[in-house]
Amino acid sequence: MQDRYDSAPLGIVELTNDGVVRAANERAKQLLQGEDFVDRPVSAVFPESIENTVPAAFDHSPPEPREVEEYYPALERWLDISVVPSAESVTVYLQDVTDRHRDQQRIEQLRGDIDRLTITNTLISDILGELVDASTRTEIAKTICDRLGGTDIYEFAWVGERDPGSDNLQIQASAGTPGRTFTALSDSLETGTRLPEQRAIETAAPVIVQPLGGDESVPETVRRAAFADGLQSLLAIPLTYGSNVYGVVGIYAPEQDAFSERERASFETVGEMAGFAINASRQRSLIRSDSVVELTLELTDSDAPLVSVATTTDSRLILDGVVGQSGDLYCYLRVEGEPEAVVDELETIPGARDSRVLGAHDTGGSLEVDLTPETPLGILSAQGVTITYAEYENGRGEATIELSPETDVRRVAGAITQEYDAQVLAKRRQERELTTPEGFRDALSDRLTDKQETALRTAFFADYFESPRGSSAEEVAETLDITGPTLLHHLRASQRKLLAEFFETTDRD
């Protein structure tokens, strides 16, 4: 047999009817990882498998024919096996089908990943859609938890926010089947034991723990509870807006590798959207409140860009307004000094990006500068406050901000004082009268001259501001019996006063 079958692509083993090997070709020896099979029993030649198909065939007399594909852990191979009895002997044919089985496993895994990704993307899309309509922090937390905890792929989810006045976390909402794990988490928060969710807040980056039971950064009580509940994976996503971190969502799943990098990236979007929604809810609270907390801060740190440039150029800088845009903070400043010199100096200062002169006159001018989120104004802007005033001169800056009464003043002030030499000069609670539409119109009417109001009203009703325009500037000017340049002058002046009233700025015209 050896001469006839050594060149065969299949493994061939010939045995007696009572299961003793007579001969084996070279391919069989390769597949079964052995050398000398002759006169050895079948159980010693074939490693253990779940079914032990080949040795089991010899439990009967005569041996039974068998055809099966079987996995051999010791060999790390799938073998296609045929047991063919005859009157005098039994021949076993072997073929390695490992690659085919691995390909099938990959295909099944990819299908599972695609199905899971489809479910996850749909879930995230639903969450993002509902976050748009959530108006309070409680609604935001509940929306996230209800959606994540209500699916079959995750066991439970919870949202925590920083406790006002401390660095501790407090639970805002939870949903799903928390079991003993959630109890252990709650106990850890009460005792101050550090959780992966707190690490996500501190680093402002997602944290994945897989498997839960083998990660010593997780408190032992939580690991034991997760083992008892059959939980193996955790994903902690910080709720961020700009450089500010408002809280975290913790998602727990039963699978060991539940969270792929793609899922992590998708959930980062949820964290950013939730942070944006929380910031917006704070802004709405501030706008609708009939009282505000007014905080005045003094900044004496030479590393602060506007303090530095005001000192170096011997200028006085007064903030007119700020506009946040995709990680940029555009600040509009009035300059008492040389605007060009200020812009030239800003180009050399870390934290200040593009800047340009908007206008210049004998005693100063105005400019635009893009500040990074790490600068004092960037940090304040990320806190969801309104910056009402700021000025910089002679090595110091002073800023006044407005916060809603429920905002944690200590945390807002701490965001600045932890990074820069700064202090709180004053804190006041101010009652304010909410402006009605009628009040807004009356205030604007008081600021407009008769000619400006007439020009603005005529242009509006003549569809001058429509696109495409219903009337040209010349046609509106002819209606008013004035020249085109005069009309444009009145429109610019009235529009600026309208916008100044809306944005509550000082009109310089």
Side-chain angles (χ1 to χ4, degrees):
M1 171 186 169
Q2 206 69 34
D3 294 337
R4 289 184 297 163
Y5 296 133
D6 271 350
S7 60
L10 300 179
I12 303 173
V13 180
E14 185 178 315
L15 302 100
T16 64
N17 284 330
D18 56 359
V20 177
V21 176
R22 286 181 173 177
N25 71 349
E26 287 300 318
R27 181 57 178 160
K29 294 176 183 179
Q30 292 172 2
L31 293 177
L32 297 176
Q33 296 180 3
E35 291 295 334
D36 186 12
F37 290 162
V38 177
D39 294 333
R40 299 184 64 189
V42 63
S43 59
V45 172
F46 284 83
E48 287 190 4
S49 63
I50 294 177
E51 298 295 335
N52 279 326
T53 299
V54 178
F58 290 87
D59 291 342
H60 303 271
S61 183
E64 292 183 340
R66 302 282 178 93
E67 287 191 11
V68 69
E69 289 186 358
E70 196 164 36
Y71 181 68
Y72 287 84
L75 303 176
E76 296 184 348
R77 282 192 179 123
W78 281 87
L79 296 179
D80 183 336
I81 298 173
S82 296
V83 179
V84 183
S86 66
E88 299 178 354
S89 63
V90 177
T91 304
V92 179
Y93 299 96
L94 310 172
Q95 185 173 3
D96 190 345
V97 291
T98 304
D99 289 343
R100 177 162 58 79
H101 273 271
R102 286 177 178 168
D103 288 343
Q104 288 175 344
Q105 289 175 339
R106 291 191 193 100
I107 292 171
E108 289 172 2
Q109 182 177 358
L110 286 173
R111 284 175 179 163
D113 290 345
I114 292 172
D115 290 342
R116 184 185 182 91
L117 188 60
T118 300
I119 294 172
T120 303
N121 286 342
T122 301
L123 178 63
I124 289 173
S125 177
D126 291 342
I127 292 173
L128 295 179
E130 292 183 25
L131 283 178
V132 173
D133 297 325
S135 58
T136 67
R137 299 207 303 267
T138 300
E139 287 182 11
I140 293 165
K142 189 173 184 302
T143 293
I144 294 173
C145 290
D146 287 351
R147 280 294 184 178
L148 295 176
T151 67
D152 293 332
I153 57 177
Y154 308 124
E155 195 73 10
F156 77 93
W158 72 283
V159 169
E161 284 195 21
R162 283 174 165 171
D163 189 6
S166 74
D167 290 328
N168 297 331
L169 276 178
Q170 60 180 0
I171 297 170
Q172 290 292 107
S174 64
T177 310
R180 301 175 223 184
T181 307
F182 187 69
T183 302
L185 288 172
S186 302
D187 292 342
S188 295
L189 291 176
E190 290 182 5
T191 59
T193 306
R194 194 165 178 266
L195 296 168
E197 285 88 341
Q198 288 165 305
R199 201 187 334 151
I201 288 180
E202 292 165 4
T203 61
V207 172
I208 296 179
V209 180
Q210 297 177 153
L212 262 173
D215 194 319
E216 294 187 359
S217 69
V218 181
E220 184 178 356
T221 54
V222 176
R223 280 184 280 149
R224 287 180 177 177
F227 178 80
D229 289 338
L231 302 178
Q232 300 194 69
S233 296
L234 158 65
L235 173 62
I237 297 291
L239 311 181
T240 61
Y241 178 73
S243 60
N244 203 40
V245 182
Y246 291 118
V248 65
V249 54
I251 311 166
Y252 289 74
E255 293 83 9
Q256 182 170 326
D257 297 310
F259 302 105
S260 64
E261 283 300 310
R262 185 174 294 179
E263 278 187 80
R264 180 195 61 78
S266 297
F267 275 110
E268 274 192 89
T269 304
V270 173
E272 292 168 0
M273 187 64 182
F276 174 83
I278 292 171
N279 184 73
S281 73
R282 292 185 174 185
Q283 293 283 8
R284 281 194 296 270
S285 177
L286 178 59
I287 291 170
R288 295 170 182 172
S289 177
D290 56 5
S291 66
V292 296
V293 174
E294 187 179 86
L295 208 62
T296 301
L297 301 165
E298 181 185 48
L299 188 67
T300 56
D301 198 318
S302 60
D303 289 335
L306 297 183
V307 172
S308 175
V309 73
T311 304
T312 305
T313 62
D314 193 23
S315 302
R316 181 170 180 246
L317 307 178
I318 303 168
L319 182 70
D320 271 341
V322 297
V323 178
Q325 177 68 29
S326 301
D328 295 301
L329 186 72
Y330 292 96
C331 300
Y332 297 89
L333 302 161
R334 276 179 285 155
V335 180
E336 293 180 6
E338 295 289 338
E340 289 287 356
V342 173
V343 168
D344 290 343
E345 183 65 23
L346 282 170
E347 292 178 355
T348 69
I349 295 177
R353 294 187 277 221
D354 295 336
S355 57
R356 62 190 178 102
V357 174
L358 301 177
H361 48 74
D362 292 342
T363 60
S366 59
L367 59 88
E368 173 192 82
V369 58
D370 177 12
L371 297 179
T372 64
E374 295 78 20
T375 57
L377 288 180
I379 293 172
L380 286 174
S381 181
Q383 303 303 309
V385 305
T386 297
I387 304 171
T388 59
Y389 182 78
E391 68 170 59
Y392 305 86
E393 186 179 21
N394 296 329
R396 68 181 292 275
E398 188 173 302
T400 301
I401 61 176
E402 289 184 350
L403 308 79
S404 63
E406 62 266 25
T407 300
D408 180 14
V409 174
R410 177 180 175 273
R411 183 165 298 284
V412 172
I416 290 292
T417 57
Q418 288 173 9
E419 300 295 331
Y420 293 94
D421 293 333
Q423 63 176 331
V424 176
L425 295 181
K427 173 188 171 185
R428 295 175 292 273
R429 189 183 180 101
Q430 301 277 18
E431 301 298 322
R432 66 180 183 181
E433 183 179 348
L434 297 180
T435 303
T436 64
E438 293 78 11
F440 179 81
R441 283 195 293 268
D442 291 343
L444 179 61
S445 183
D446 290 341
R447 298 183 67 170
L448 295 176
T449 67
D450 290 342
K451 289 182 178 179
Q452 289 169 352
E453 185 171 357
T454 299
L456 191 62
R457 181 182 295 273
T458 303
F460 177 77
F461 287 113
D463 288 342
Y464 174 75
F465 298 108
E466 296 294 326
S467 180
R469 286 174 172 167
S471 301
S472 65
E474 290 75 14
E475 289 170 330
V476 176
E478 185 178 347
T479 300
L480 296 171
D481 196 23
I482 58 177
T483 65
T486 300
L487 170 71
L488 295 178
H489 173 76
H490 288 328
L491 290 180
R492 280 196 298 269
S494 59
Q495 287 171 2
R496 176 164 187 83
K497 289 178 179 178
L498 170 64
L499 295 172
E501 187 70 29
F502 182 80
F503 292 118
E504 297 180 345
T505 65
T506 302
D507 184 15
R508 301 193 296 271
D509 283 356

